[in-house]
Amino acid sequence: MASIKFAKLVSAGLGTSLGIYAIRHKQTHRNIVLAERNIPEGLETESNALNNLQLLNVQVFGRHGARTPIHIIETIEHGTYLPAFMGDLPYTQIDYEVKDVSGDVQPISLMENSYRDNNRILKGGVYVGQLTKIGQDQMYMLGKTLRKKYVDELKLLSPEIKDNEVYIRSSNVERNIVSARCAMAGLFNTAYTPQTNGPITIYVSDATNEILYPNTYHCPTMRTLFGKWIKQAWNLPSTKRIRQQVQERSDYVEKDGKFLNLIDVRDDLIARKGVFITVETRAFGNQT
């Protein structure tokens, strides 16, 4: 079987994890991250099987880097997100373009438009849900790690960007597109290696057909099931106990059955941590 040099980077809508494309090996019946080549009959040991396998394809699934919050806790002092936290880091810049998965122009992002609403400007003057400079650096360093593995060690990819070797797919949200850009800059060392093959393409999908995150907006069945699961989770004794403790210590008072959303609490706190904003409340102590 001929070796295929091909990697896939996906920047999904919900944050950073790694996944590897696995091919099932017919002798050992285990998922192995290598493709079969000329396995002799009667092979008995897995170590021998690995020696006769060749890496063909890698898929990396990643969340975005650190961002500004989408949700904030209204009853504690809001974090201040300054314009100095934002902007493009020079070493994460690459020549790129964004297109629909069909090859057409980039579709309008309703989600991104909702973040840019003037009513969603944070204390300090920046919009919600935006990648910070720290987030850009995180994704750049992820790319550097991938370069060490798949360019330097395994020689799966060429040292410079080649469109026929790499396919990049992102959800149509700016923080995820920029995260993919930063990872590519690290993967191909573009700050020090001239990009001579033209712009790299980052592919996105319209919201209706997006599959990179649980698309409750355009799947009625998923929306119904997700609503039921969330309601059940909120009513678990352990969840209720934690929520009541956080509400009490953050001076949140339930009104008309509306309680503090712990997902929103986490979003606020993680975003603060990403830019080292101190939280001073009875609920969380003095943390950064």
Side-chain angles (χ1 to χ4, degrees), residues 229-247 254 259-263:
W229 295 334
I230 288 294
K231 186 176 181 179
Q232 291 174 359
W234 287 157
N235 289 319
L236 290 174
S238 57
T239 306
K240 291 178 67 175
R241 182 173 62 255
I242 294 171
R243 184 178 69 242
Q244 288 168 356
Q245 290 174 349
V246 174
Q247 286 182 169
E254 288 190 24
F259 48 76
L260 189 63
N261 189 322
L262 294 181
I263 296 176

Side-chain angles (χ1 to χ4, degrees), residues 163-183:
D163 226 358
N164 64 339
E165 289 187 354
V166 180
Y167 177 85
I168 314 165
R169 170 77 161 85
S170 171
S171 55
N172 194 19
V173 180
E174 187 67 12
R175 64 175 175 270
N176 302 317
I177 294 170
V178 176
S179 290
R181 183 203 80 197
C182 296

Side-chain angles (χ1 to χ4, degrees), residues 1-7 21 23 33-36 54-58 156:
M1 182 180 294
S3 174
I4 303 172
K5 290 186 176 182
F6 180 77
Y21 176 72
I23 298 177
V33 190
L34 297 167
E36 177 185 359
Q54 183 177 13
L55 182 65
L56 298 182
N57 178 292
V58 174
L156 181 69

Side-chain angles (χ1 to χ4, degrees), residues 36-288:
E36 177 185 359
R37 67 172 184 185
N38 303 323
I39 305 298
E41 294 184 5
L43 190 66
E44 296 180 356
T45 66
E46 185 172 316
S47 60
N48 286 338
L50 291 174
N51 290 333
N52 285 279
L53 296 175
Q54 183 177 13
L55 182 65
L56 298 182
N57 178 292
V58 174
Q59 296 188 19
V60 179
F61 295 83
R63 288 197 62 184
H64 51 75
R67 59 162 171 78
T68 57
I70 297 173
H71 307 285
I72 56 177
I73 308 170
E74 293 292 347
T75 53
I76 66 174
E77 183 179 356
H78 294 177
T80 301
Y81 296 86
L82 301 173
F85 297 165
M86 318 306 291
D88 290 328
L89 294 172
Y91 56 86
T92 69
Q93 295 280 25
I94 62 171
D95 186 13
Y96 76 103
E97 59 186 358
V98 182
K99 291 185 178 181
D100 182 80
V101 289
S102 65
D104 291 336
V105 297
Q106 178 184 4
I108 294 173
S109 174
L110 299 178
M111 185 178 294
E112 188 63 37
N113 286 347
S114 72
Y115 296 151
R116 304 286 178 161
D117 188 292
N118 287 335
N119 293 323
R120 305 198 72 182
I121 297 177
L122 298 164
K123 181 182 177 183
V126 303
Y127 287 109
V128 302
Q130 304 304 306
L131 196 70
T132 64
K133 288 179 179 178
I134 291 176
Q136 290 186 35
D137 186 70
Q138 289 171 338
M139 298 308 296
Y140 177 80
M141 295 309 297
L142 171 62
K144 296 284 282 187
T145 299
L146 295 175
R147 179 180 180 85
K148 181 178 180 181
K149 182 71 174 180
Y150 298 111
V151 177
D152 299 337
E153 296 179 9
L154 296 179
K155 313 296 184 185
L156 181 69
L157 292 171
S158 302
E160 70 282 351
I161 296 177
K162 291 186 178 180
D163 226 358
N164 64 339
E165 289 187 354
V166 180
Y167 177 85
I168 314 165
R169 170 77 161 85
S170 171
S171 55
N172 194 19
V173 180
E174 187 67 12
R175 64 175 175 270
N176 302 317
I177 294 170
V178 176
S179 290
R181 183 203 80 197
C182 296
M184 293 298 293
L187 176 58
F188 292 105
N189 205 28
T190 55
Y192 304 98
T193 305
Q195 191 175 339
T196 59
N197 297 314
I200 196 74
T201 302
I202 299 176
Y203 293 96
V204 299
S205 175
D206 64 276
T208 304
N209 298 305
E210 187 56 82
I211 60 172
L212 293 184
Y213 51 78
N215 199 338
T216 58
Y217 297 102
H218 297 281
C219 178
T221 301
M222 181 176 287
R223 184 164 58 248
T224 299
L225 292 174
F226 190 74
K228 290 181 179 178
W229 295 334
I230 288 294
K231 186 176 181 179
Q232 291 174 359
W234 287 157
N235 289 319
L236 290 174
S238 57
T239 306
K240 291 178 67 175
R241 182 173 62 255
I242 294 171
R243 184 178 69 242
Q244 288 168 356
Q245 290 174 349
V246 174
Q247 286 182 169
E248 177 185 349
R249 296 177 185 179
S250 59
D251 300 321
Y252 184 94
V253 179
E254 288 190 24
K255 295 180 180 179
D256 302 322
K258 185 178 180 180
F259 48 76
L260 189 63
N261 189 322
L262 294 181
I263 296 176
D264 293 355
V265 172
R266 182 185 184 278
D267 186 80
D268 191 347
L269 297 181
I270 292 297
R272 291 172 187 250
K273 185 176 181 180
V275 289
F276 307 104
I277 294 178
T278 300
V279 183
E280 296 183 14
T281 70
R282 292 185 298 119
F284 313 108
N286 189 337
Q287 303 179 16
T288 56

